[in-house]
Amino acid sequence: MQESATQLVLHNYFRSSSAYRVRIALGLKGLPYEYLSVHLNRNGGEQFQHVFSARNPQQLVPVLSDGVLDIGQSLAIIEYLDEAWPATPLLPATPGERARVRQLALSMACDIHPLNNLRVLKYLTGAMGLDETAKNAWISHWHGIGLAALEADLVRDEQRGRYCVGDTPTMADCCLVPQLFAARRFGMDLTPFPTLLAIDAACQELPAFQLAQPARQPDSE
């Protein structure tokens, strides 16, 4: 187990799905951290300012700082936490289960989330000239396809338990809850996805998920 000489610092934005994942992971592991807000809309987007872009040239949140180490990309951060602090693992013990968790997490982080990410939506309504109706149709289309596939995948999966994989929260659940939060924020009807909703409800009973909610963050609006 790593003994960090410095407090972990999470550079994040309250409504970022990616940052939300990491807050859940930190909570599940019981790791204290300093919350540093990088507001994605204020002052032209604080992620574009030199102080942050020097830390992460992608100009994306979250970034986890552990001493001199800066890690971007939420799944890389969660796997780092799991390797550095193996207590309360977020990836299961067997290779097959670990692959399954990664598969589910990547389907959300790489296939669903990027198509409704803030910078994509701003490009649609900016350079592409889409109005709000067209933008919302884009969100519903791609979000719906992704969630429908995820629902079908989990329905047939014998490894599914109370959570995405088994009866202990994993990295996959850290991704699912923020993705459903985003879907609700965009006004999507989630009734076609009862399996996802049941897992989400189980997660919401845990303090780590409750405390990570966007509305409970210091920079929430």
Side-chain angles (χ1 to χ4, degrees):
M1 176 176 178
Q2 174 170 322
E3 295 293 340
S4 181
T6 58
Q7 184 181 21
L8 295 172
V9 178
L10 183 63
H11 308 262
N12 78 136
Y13 176 57
F14 77 103
R15 208 159 49 203
S16 161
S17 296
S18 301
Y20 193 174
R21 297 170 197 149
V22 176
R23 294 197 301 267
I24 293 169
L26 287 163
L28 287 170
K29 286 187 162 291
L31 294 173
Y33 64 96
E34 180 183 356
Y35 186 112
L36 283 186
S37 174
V38 181
H39 202 291
L40 303 187
N41 287 313
R42 189 175 296 152
N43 301 319
E46 293 175 353
Q47 71 273 27
F48 302 121
Q49 295 177 2
H50 176 73
V51 66
F52 182 75
S53 61
R55 187 181 300 277
N56 184 9
Q58 282 192 296
Q59 300 174 326
L60 297 171
V61 295
V63 170
L64 181 79
S65 297
D66 184 12
V68 298
L69 180 64
D70 290 324
I71 307 170
Q73 295 295 335
S74 60
L75 300 192
I77 293 171
I78 293 172
E79 293 220 31
Y80 170 74
L81 295 174
D82 226 35
E83 293 172 3
W85 291 274
T88 315
L90 299 176
L91 286 163
T94 70
E97 289 176 321
R98 293 169 77 88
R100 178 60 175 158
V101 167
R102 290 188 176 108
Q103 176 188 336
L104 293 169
L106 287 165
S107 73
M108 290 176 270
C110 297
D111 293 336
I112 304 175
H113 174 241
L115 291 169
N116 56 71
N117 198 12
L118 178 64
R119 61 178 180 173
V120 171
L121 300 183
K122 283 189 172 182
Y123 186 78
L124 291 175
T125 56
M128 298 298 292
L130 272 62
D131 60 18
E132 284 297 305
T133 299
K135 183 193 78 172
N136 291 336
W138 166 281
I139 294 169
S140 296
H141 175 75
W142 293 113
H143 221 148
I145 287 175
L147 293 181
L150 187 61
E151 172 77 14
D153 195 6
L154 285 167
V155 163
R156 66 178 180 83
D157 185 15
E158 294 181 356
Q159 296 183 76
R160 191 190 83 248
R162 182 170 173 80
Y163 303 101
C164 286
V165 180
D167 294 322
T168 302
T170 67
M171 181 169 67
D173 303 287
C174 294
C175 293
L176 176 64
V177 168
Q179 201 60 58
L180 293 184
F181 168 82
R184 292 185 179 102
R185 187 166 68 88
F186 292 129
M188 287 193 64
D189 176 14
L190 297 181
T191 54
F193 315 119
T195 306
L196 304 186
L197 291 177
I199 296 171
D200 179 62
C203 291
Q204 297 297 350
E205 294 177 2
L206 301 179
F209 288 87
Q210 296 167 7
L211 294 172
Q213 292 173 1
R216 302 187 70 166
Q217 306 316 305
D219 57 341
S220 65
E221 297 171 338

